[in-house]
Amino acid sequence: MQFAAATAVTPRGDGLYDAAVAPGWDIGGNANGGYLLSIAGRAMADAAGRPDPVTITAHYLSPGKPGPLIVETEVVKAGKRFSTVRGTVRRASDGVAAISVLGTFGDLDPAGALESPTLVHSVPPTLPSVEECQQMFKAPVDEAPGFVSNIHLLLHPDDAGFATGRKSGELRVRGWFNLRDDEPIGTIGLLTAVDSFPPTIFNVDLPVGWVPTVELTSHVRARPAPGWLRCAFTTRFVTGGFIEEDGEVWDATGALVAQSRQLALLPRSP
């Protein structure tokens, strides 16, 4: 199932939307956090009447299990350029909230962008070609875990050694991201891209395991051009049982299209 269909929402009125965690878009029975945020973002954009999330923050409350969802939305403020919307994604089976979201939406069409100064003190990550980077899993795509089988996720060889016990010692993960079948990513797809890569702690001598997201904030800076995204995620602090990950996403033209910060829990020691 393509990404657009897997994140589709159907309005039922009064700010409510029907959606679902589609088959094959979970990891071990739980929806990927960025994918779940994309579903919320799609409903919230429709409620806002504006197509693009500019900034969106999700607090993760419980696992998103495969199956029907209900997205509740409330327009907090509708301004001239931006609208702010509150959203809650619930499992339809029991009404339990999976994520609580607050986002500001606008229109990032370059044709309508206001003239403004540009100053960028960074560059896209240097990556080997797509062909020289490594799949997250060595198994054929059809045999890979559900979520990974629906995207292209290729890691920089220097950051992929954890899979074979050769950890780099750097709290860093870089690589390429794309949707399959050349499906356009769009700004909603960027919300999935920022949460698709393995945790940075996989590359250092720390427990490897499930890293539950507490909070994820994404800043969408522009609509991505067609093609592969260059992504880089780094961590500076591992303290008090928490880690942060700062992400940058650059499109095929070399433009910065998204940034993210995620706060997650460290895996428990064996």
Side-chain angles (χ1 to χ4, degrees), residues 82-108:
F82 303 106
S83 294
T84 299
V85 181
R86 182 178 292 114
T88 302
V89 178
R90 299 185 184 275
R91 300 194 298 257
S93 59
D94 55 15
V96 172
I99 60 172
S100 179
V101 187
L102 185 66
T104 294
F105 293 78
D107 189 337
L108 298 179

Side-chain angles (χ1 to χ4, degrees), residues 161-255:
F162 64 85
T164 57
R166 296 180 293 102
K167 298 183 179 183
S168 68
E170 298 278 349
L171 286 161
R172 178 180 66 187
V173 174
R174 297 160 293 173
W176 297 98
F177 176 93
N178 206 350
L179 296 175
R180 296 200 174 272
D181 302 321
D182 295 321
E183 183 181 3
I185 295 172
T187 53
I188 297 297
L190 292 175
L191 305 183
T192 292
V194 299
D195 194 37
S196 294
F197 284 75
T200 57
I201 61 163
F202 279 17
N203 277 319
V204 297
D205 191 19
L206 287 171
V208 173
W210 185 44
V211 183
T213 302
V214 177
E215 179 265 343
L216 173 62
T217 294
S218 299
H219 294 164
V220 176
R221 309 300 294 267
R223 293 180 182 175
W228 290 83
L229 302 177
R230 294 175 181 256
C231 305
F233 300 88
T234 57
T235 293
R236 294 186 299 159
F237 304 104
V238 181
T239 61
F242 295 94
I243 62 171
E244 100 287 342
E245 280 192 11
D246 291 313
E248 296 179 2
V249 179
W250 305 75
D251 74 5
T253 71

Side-chain angles (χ1 to χ4, degrees), residues 42-73:
R42 213 177 274 287
M44 294 163 70
D46 185 81
R50 300 179 188 271
D52 303 308
V54 177
T55 176
I56 189 165
T57 297
H59 288 259
Y60 288 79
L61 309 177
S62 65
K65 299 294 184 181
L69 301 170
I70 298 171
V71 186
E72 302 169 353
T73 67

